[in-house]
Every structure is written in structure tokens, then in C-alpha cells.
Amino acid sequence: MASLKDMRVRIAATKATQKITKAMQMVAASKLRRAQVAAEAARPYAERMTKVLGSIAAAVAGSDSAPRLLAGTGNDKVQLLVVCTAERGLCGPFNSSIVRLAREKANALMSQGKDVKILCVGRKGQDQLRRVYGKQIIETIELRGIKQIGFEQAEMIAKKIVALFDGGEFDVCTLFFSRFRSVIAQVPTALQIIPPLFEQAKEGDKEAGPAAAYEYEPEEEDILADLLPRNLSVQVFRALLENAASEQGARMSAMDNATRNAGEMIRKQTLTYNRTRQAMITKELIEIISGAEAL
């Protein structure tokens, strides 16, 4: 049985841990507001660019002059998985949920005889994937020293992806990230970005509006050659912003749970300490009374 001193040390250590988790929760809540605003502001631009590209791509579908970023290589033998995770932990299941989705995708592709390559954005994803897929990881991009994610980081990542594609390193590229929904809900998402998949407008869709014929100047192929790399950067930037908001939301929720658990542990430890102390005092009183009676 632990002594009273050990119990006091344990209670003090738990209280110190509770202060740390409470502070981390408050910091995450402060960062969450800014990250959430940035993620929500990036969604309309990314969605509108996807719709515009989908409209232009439909006009050149099946054309021999379509850019390779749009048409692909005509094969899907080599698959590149871009797994975006956080640089730090203590954010609940945020990192593991993204890695789990990427792992399921990799296993499904490998079972079909496909070659899988993995590009990790964030240290935590690389730490979890290297145990099983160490040979498939071709590079890890760390953003640890960057306080606030900017478009230049997304553009740098997009240029690496395009360079790999131009070098014939892969045929299909899929981006993995966590889409922010709320503080307690983050949705792991897989988005194919090379060749991009565009949703076709459904008949009777009010948001799609009436069908119209457009004339492009310059030609569609020239517009796509400029917009496709930019769209790749925009989609990566959106994924990084969604990840940043999801990470802070998950960390805020995880630290709140940790703070509550620490409070419950302190309550139980204090109760055990008081009971033990009372038992020792009672034992000492019995010994004194017994000694007095023996005299």
C-alpha cells in the first residue's frame, strides 16, 4: 500500500497535469477560431474553381490535345497517396483516422496488384505509416517551423506532385486530409486530384442553373494548361487549412476530456488519501489507548 507521502506526490502530479491540459485546451480554442475562419473562407473558391474546370474539361473530353494533368496517363498501375497529417500529437484520433483511411486505400490497391507510393505531409503520418509502408514512402514534407499555413506551402507541395507526375513516377494521385465539420466532428476525406474527378451536374439541379454554351479565349486547352496546376495548389491549400482547423478542434476536445479525467482522478486520489490518513490516525489512537490501559 502506498504511503501518505506517495499519495500526496501523486495528487500534486495529477494537478500539474490538469493545469497543462487546461492550458492546451485554451490555446487550441484560441487557434481554432482563426483556423476555422480560414478553412471556411477557402471552401467557396476551391469549389467554384472545381466547377469551372469541370465545365471546361467537359468541352475537351476525349480530345487528343487535352493536358496530361486532366487526361492522365491512361493507366492506373502506379498510385501516389498524399497523406496530410499534423506535426504534433495530443489531438485525439485526428492523425490516426487519416492514416487509417490511407492504409485502407493502400491495402485495397495492393490487393489489386497496383504499385503504391506515399508522400507524407506532416511528421505524425510518417511515424505511423513507416512501420508497415516504410518502403512505399518516397518523401516526407515537414511544416513544423511554420506558424501559419500559407499558399506558398501548398504551391510547393503541388509543384513536387506535378514534378513527380511529369517524371512518370505515378499515374493517379489521391489526397488524404480531414475535413472540418465541428469541434467534435472531423471527417477523413480522400480526394483524387490527378487526374481530377469532376461531379457532373444533375438534371433539375437548381444550383447548376440553365445550360449555356461558352466560347473561350484563348482555347480550352490553353486555359486548362494554366488552371490545372493552379487548381492542384488550391486543393492542397484547402486540405491544409481543413487539417489545421480539424487538428485544433480535435486537440481542444481531447484536452477537455483529459482535463475532466484528471479532475476525476484527483477526486478519487484525494478520497483514498483521506481514508488512509483517517485509518492511520484511528490505528494510532487505538495503540495509545491500549497502552494506557495496560498501565
Side-chain angles (χ1 to χ4, degrees):
M1 185 176 179
S3 63
L4 291 179
K5 181 179 179 181
D6 293 337
M7 291 183 181
R8 287 195 298 268
V9 170
R10 190 177 303 170
I11 293 173
T14 307
K15 288 182 178 179
T17 303
Q18 186 184 38
K19 290 180 181 179
I20 295 173
T21 56
K22 184 63 177 179
M24 292 184 66
Q25 177 190 354
M26 297 175 65
V27 171
S30 176
K31 292 182 177 180
L32 173 62
R33 297 185 183 94
R34 182 171 62 247
Q36 182 178 355
V37 170
E40 292 176 348
R43 290 174 185 173
Y45 183 82
E47 292 172 356
R48 179 59 60 181
M49 174 168 278
T50 301
K51 290 182 179 180
V52 171
L53 283 175
S55 176
I56 302 176
V60 299
S63 175
D64 295 335
S65 58
R68 290 183 71 246
L69 281 176
L70 175 64
T73 61
N75 196 1
D76 61 349
K77 177 64 177 176
V78 183
Q79 302 264 346
L80 177 66
L81 309 183
V82 182
V83 184
C84 299
T85 55
E87 295 289 344
R88 298 173 179 85
L90 298 178
C91 49
F94 167 73
N95 292 310
S96 58
S97 61
I98 300 175
V99 171
R100 186 183 305 112
L101 182 63
R103 188 184 297 116
E104 292 174 355
K105 179 70 173 180
N107 291 336
L109 292 172
M110 293 172 68
S111 65
Q112 298 172 8
K114 312 292 185 183
D115 294 332
V116 175
K117 296 182 179 180
I118 299 176
L119 174 63
C120 294
V121 180
R123 184 171 56 89
K124 286 299 179 180
Q126 191 260 353
D127 290 344
Q128 295 187 35
L129 287 171
R130 67 181 178 182
R131 303 168 188 170
V132 181
Y133 304 97
K135 296 181 180 179
Q136 281 79 17
I137 297 176
I138 57 176
E139 187 177 354
T140 300
I141 301 174
E142 293 190 6
L143 306 175
R144 188 185 309 178
I146 299 173
K147 294 183 179 180
Q148 187 171 358
I149 297 296
F151 187 76
E152 56 272 16
Q153 285 80 36
E155 193 171 24
M156 176 265 296
I157 296 171
K159 286 181 178 179
K160 286 182 177 290
I161 296 174
V162 173
L164 291 171
F165 182 71
D166 292 339
E169 296 293 330
F170 66 90
D171 301 313
V172 178
C173 178
T174 305
L175 182 65
F176 293 86
F177 62 98
S178 183
R179 183 166 55 86
F180 178 80
R181 179 177 293 175
S182 66
V183 175
I184 59 174
Q186 300 85 34
V187 184
T189 305
L191 176 66
Q192 182 175 315
I193 54 178
I194 298 179
L197 296 178
F198 302 109
E199 294 183 359
Q200 299 295 329
K202 299 180 181 178
E203 296 183 1
D205 189 356
K206 295 181 180 180
E207 295 183 358
Y214 295 95
E215 292 184 0
Y216 298 97
E217 180 66 30
E219 297 297 327
E220 292 92 336
E221 291 82 359
D222 298 330
I223 297 176
L224 287 173
D226 181 66
L227 285 186
L228 284 171
R230 182 179 296 272
N231 176 65
L232 193 63
S233 301
V234 168
Q235 298 302 330
V236 173
F237 184 48
R238 178 189 178 185
L240 294 179
L241 292 179
E242 294 279 353
N243 258 14
S246 298
E247 177 189 355
Q248 298 304 330
R251 179 171 289 115
M252 179 180 171
S253 179
M255 291 300 101
D256 179 59
N257 292 334
T259 303
R260 294 174 184 272
N261 292 337
E264 183 65 18
M265 289 180 62
I266 292 172
R267 187 188 68 82
K268 291 182 178 179
Q269 290 172 355
T270 303
L271 183 61
T272 302
Y273 171 79
N274 290 335
R275 285 177 176 175
T276 304
R277 181 170 176 269
Q278 185 178 8
M280 293 183 66
I281 293 174
T282 303
K283 181 181 179 181
E284 290 176 357
L285 287 175
I286 292 175
E287 290 177 353
I288 293 173
I289 295 173
S290 300
E293 291 179 352
L295 298 175

